[in-house]
């Protein structure tokens, strides 16, 4: 018990001495031992490495898991050393919603069958994303975390020891300086102060060497992080490549399905009004003094992109293939339509049950819906 009390008193005395020395240094009332330039550069490089590694680590976590609640949950599982439960990705959730919606709308309808197809591909993309997240966590995030929670903690501990020994050294220097000023009165104090200074100098030099060796290991840390960065880029490239392949396959499948269902997918209701697109604001303007197709003198103007037409206002073309001259530029609103250029010739025809305000236009291998009001049918 006496030993513990004495040790506690000794530790308190050392802490007080260091606090006094630190305060006097800040106030400019005491000298401070400067570290050598090489060690100072290593300390600055270490701080820079720690700060940027921490930022890159945090932002990569956000990239892989944008949900902060999910990140906190995963962090708690890791600290408790429990297995993180399987978490489905947002793309997989979207795919499931699409397929559930298809069951309600009717899987045999064009919209329902397309939802099923797109939903399946969304699930595939989600599975690829989950593999990318796992690979990035193992190959990139974990090494960065190991550095921050392992190597850097050791370096920080040794740096704190170095700072404490420096304060002890400077405190001994200050006591020796005071003792020499009163050497005639206290010769023993000078001898004791010199002994304390030698011990403090030895501790400081030894700790400086330990800290220097640890900080020089930062170079190998950079090499390791460089390798991990290559692994991260490799995983990211594979992820995007697989996503691109899935999306290309999806587009091909949708295009094939559209060729079969196109005539029925866009059939209008004869008893209802339909919206016929007017000229795009970026398309070629109509000749001076004339109105664009589908507009009347009461039309709002060029900023109004659509007008309402009743069935029967435009006489439907006869069934069969015909040539047509394009009067004005037309920009397709979606993949089911065909963009047009003024004065070009295209082949047009209609299909049974199709909206009479539209025709099927063909230009080489391209095919899509085109508005009748943009065409001059040739005999």
């Amino acid at each position: 018990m006496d030993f513990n009390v004495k040790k506690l008193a000794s530790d308190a005395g050392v802490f007080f001495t260091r606090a006094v020395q630190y305060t006097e240094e800040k106030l400019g009332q005491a000298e401070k031992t400067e570290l050598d330039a090489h060690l100072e550069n290593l300390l600055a490089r270490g701080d820079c490495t720690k700060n940027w590694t921490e930022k890159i680590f945090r932002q990569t976590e956000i990239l892989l898991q944008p949900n902060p609640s999910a990140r906190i949950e995963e962090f708690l599982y890791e600290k408790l050393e429990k297995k993180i439960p399987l978490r489905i990705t947002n793309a997989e959730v979207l795919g499931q919603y699409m397929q559930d919606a298809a069951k309600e709308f009717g899987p045999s309808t064009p919209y329902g069958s397309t939802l099923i197809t797109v939903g399946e591909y969304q699930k595939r993309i989600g599975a690829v994303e989950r593999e990318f997240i796992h690979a990035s966590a193992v190959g990139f995030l974990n090494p960065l975390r190991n550095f921050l929670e392992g190597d850097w903690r050791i370096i920080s501990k040794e740096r704190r020891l170095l700072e404490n020994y420096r304060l002890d050294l400077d405190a001994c220097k200050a006591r020796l300086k005071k003792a020499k000023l009163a050497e005639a009165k206290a010769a023993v104090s000078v001898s004791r102060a010199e002994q304390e200074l030698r011990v403090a100098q030895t501790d400081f030099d030894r700790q400086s060497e330990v800290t220097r060796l640890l900080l020089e290991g930062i170079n190998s840390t950079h090499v390791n992080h460089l390798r991990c960065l290559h692994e991260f880029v490799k995983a990211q490239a594979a992820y995007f490549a697989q996503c691109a392949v899935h999306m290309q396959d999806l587009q091909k499948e949708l295009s094939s399905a559209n060729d079969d269902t196109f005539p029925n997918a866009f059939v209008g209701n004869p008893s209802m009004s339909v919206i016929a697109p007017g000229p795009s604001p970026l398309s070629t303007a109509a000749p001076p003094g004339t109105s664009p197709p589908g507009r009347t003198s009461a039309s709002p103007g060029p900023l109004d992109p659509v007008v309402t037409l009743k069935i029967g206002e435009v006489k439907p073309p006869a069934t069969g293939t015909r040539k047509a001259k394009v009067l004005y530029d037309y920009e397709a609103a979606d993949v089911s339509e065909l963009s047009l250029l003024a004065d070009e010739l295209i082949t047009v025809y209609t299909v049974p049950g199709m909206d009479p305000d539209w025709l099927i236009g063909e230009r080489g291998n391209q095919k899509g819906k085109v508005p009748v009001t943009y065409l001059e049918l040739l005999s």
Side-chain angles (χ1 to χ4, degrees):
M1 183 66 180
D2 293 338
F3 174 78
N4 292 336
V5 172
K6 291 180 179 180
K7 186 176 184 303
L8 181 62
S10 175
D11 291 343
V14 171
F15 176 80
F16 178 75
T17 302
R18 290 171 180 171
V20 170
Q21 178 65 27
Y22 180 81
T23 303
E24 290 180 349
E25 288 177 359
K26 291 299 182 181
L27 296 175
Q29 298 175 357
E31 296 181 359
K32 176 182 177 181
T33 299
E34 300 294 339
L35 304 177
D36 64 85
H38 178 60
L39 184 55
E40 287 284 6
N41 289 335
L42 289 176
L43 289 171
R45 183 176 176 82
D47 287 334
C48 181
T49 300
K50 181 262 183 182
N51 292 335
W52 283 111
T53 300
E54 197 170 47
K55 290 181 180 180
I56 292 172
F57 175 81
R58 299 303 178 198
Q59 194 59 38
T60 305
E61 275 192 323
I62 294 174
L63 173 68
L64 299 179
Q65 177 52 265
N67 188 339
S69 300
R71 291 200 303 273
I72 294 175
E73 182 181 349
E74 292 174 359
F75 174 78
L76 294 176
Y77 273 103
E78 289 178 359
K79 291 303 179 183
L80 297 174
E81 297 182 352
K82 292 185 177 181
K83 184 178 180 181
I84 300 175
L86 180 64
R87 190 186 305 278
I88 61 176
T89 62
N90 292 329
E92 290 175 304
V93 174
L94 175 60
Q96 187 60 52
Y97 283 173
M98 287 182 172
Q99 293 184 339
D100 291 343
K103 296 177 182 178
E104 296 289 335
F105 300 149
S108 60
T109 64
Y111 185 37
S113 62
T114 303
L115 279 173
I116 292 176
T117 302
V118 176
E120 177 60 31
Y121 277 91
Q122 291 298 323
K123 286 185 175 180
R124 295 180 187 179
I125 291 174
V128 173
E129 181 183 358
R130 190 167 59 251
E131 293 176 2
F132 163 64
I133 292 173
H134 175 72
S136 299
V138 173
F140 188 60
L141 277 183
N142 287 350
L144 297 186
R145 182 188 289 109
N146 292 339
F147 167 74
L148 293 172
E149 297 181 356
D151 296 347
W152 186 253
R153 285 188 177 180
I154 295 175
I155 292 174
S156 298
K157 178 182 177 181
E158 298 300 329
R159 286 181 65 176
R160 287 192 296 271
L161 285 175
L162 176 62
E163 179 65 11
N164 289 337
Y165 286 143
R166 185 198 63 76
L167 291 171
D168 293 342
L169 175 62
D170 289 337
C172 290
K173 288 180 179 179
R175 283 196 297 269
L176 179 60
K177 185 177 180 180
K178 292 178 181 179
K180 285 184 176 181
L181 292 176
E183 185 174 5
K185 297 181 180 180
V188 178
S189 297
V190 173
S191 177
R192 181 180 178 183
E194 288 177 344
Q195 178 64 25
E196 291 177 351
L197 177 60
R198 284 193 293 270
V199 174
Q201 186 70 56
T202 301
D203 291 340
F204 174 76
D205 292 340
R206 182 176 63 250
Q207 189 60 36
S208 296
E209 183 66 15
V210 172
T211 306
R212 181 185 63 80
L213 292 175
L214 287 173
L215 289 170
E216 286 178 346
I218 293 292
N219 290 330
S220 62
T221 298
H222 285 190
V223 173
N224 182 45
H225 288 181
L226 175 61
R227 179 184 59 80
C228 296
L229 183 59
H230 280 280
E231 292 296 324
F232 174 68
V233 173
K234 182 179 178 181
Q236 199 171 33
Y239 164 61
F240 287 130
Q242 289 177 298
C243 288
V245 169
H246 285 318
M247 294 309 299
Q248 290 172 357
D249 292 343
L250 174 59
Q251 286 184 317
K252 291 178 182 177
E253 191 166 337
L254 292 181
S255 298
S256 176
N258 283 343
D259 289 341
D260 298 332
T261 62
F262 185 88
N264 298 323
F266 301 97
V267 174
N269 188 339
S271 63
M272 298 176 62
S273 298
V274 296
I275 303 299
S280 168
L282 300 179
S283 61
T284 303
T290 64
S291 298
R295 292 192 181 277
T296 65
S297 58
S299 298
L303 293 180
D304 180 20
V306 296
V307 293
T308 303
L309 297 178
K310 295 291 184 178
I311 300 298
E313 289 184 355
V314 179
K315 183 178 180 180
T319 302
T321 301
R322 303 178 65 179
K323 290 291 184 181
K325 179 182 178 181
V326 178
L327 300 177
Y328 309 103
D329 287 356
Y330 176 71
E331 184 177 352
D334 52 48
V335 295
S336 69
E337 298 179 6
L338 180 68
S339 296
L340 303 175
L341 296 175
D343 297 329
E344 71 172 330
L345 293 178
I346 62 173
T347 301
V348 297
Y349 57 90
T350 186
V351 293
M354 187 176 180
D355 188 336
D357 292 329
W358 295 82
L359 294 172
I360 301 298
E362 289 187 356
R363 182 200 304 111
N365 294 329
Q366 297 178 326
K367 179 174 68 173
K369 295 194 304 178
V370 294
V372 175
T373 52
Y374 279 70
L375 306 174
E376 178 185 348
L377 300 178
L378 306 177
S379 58

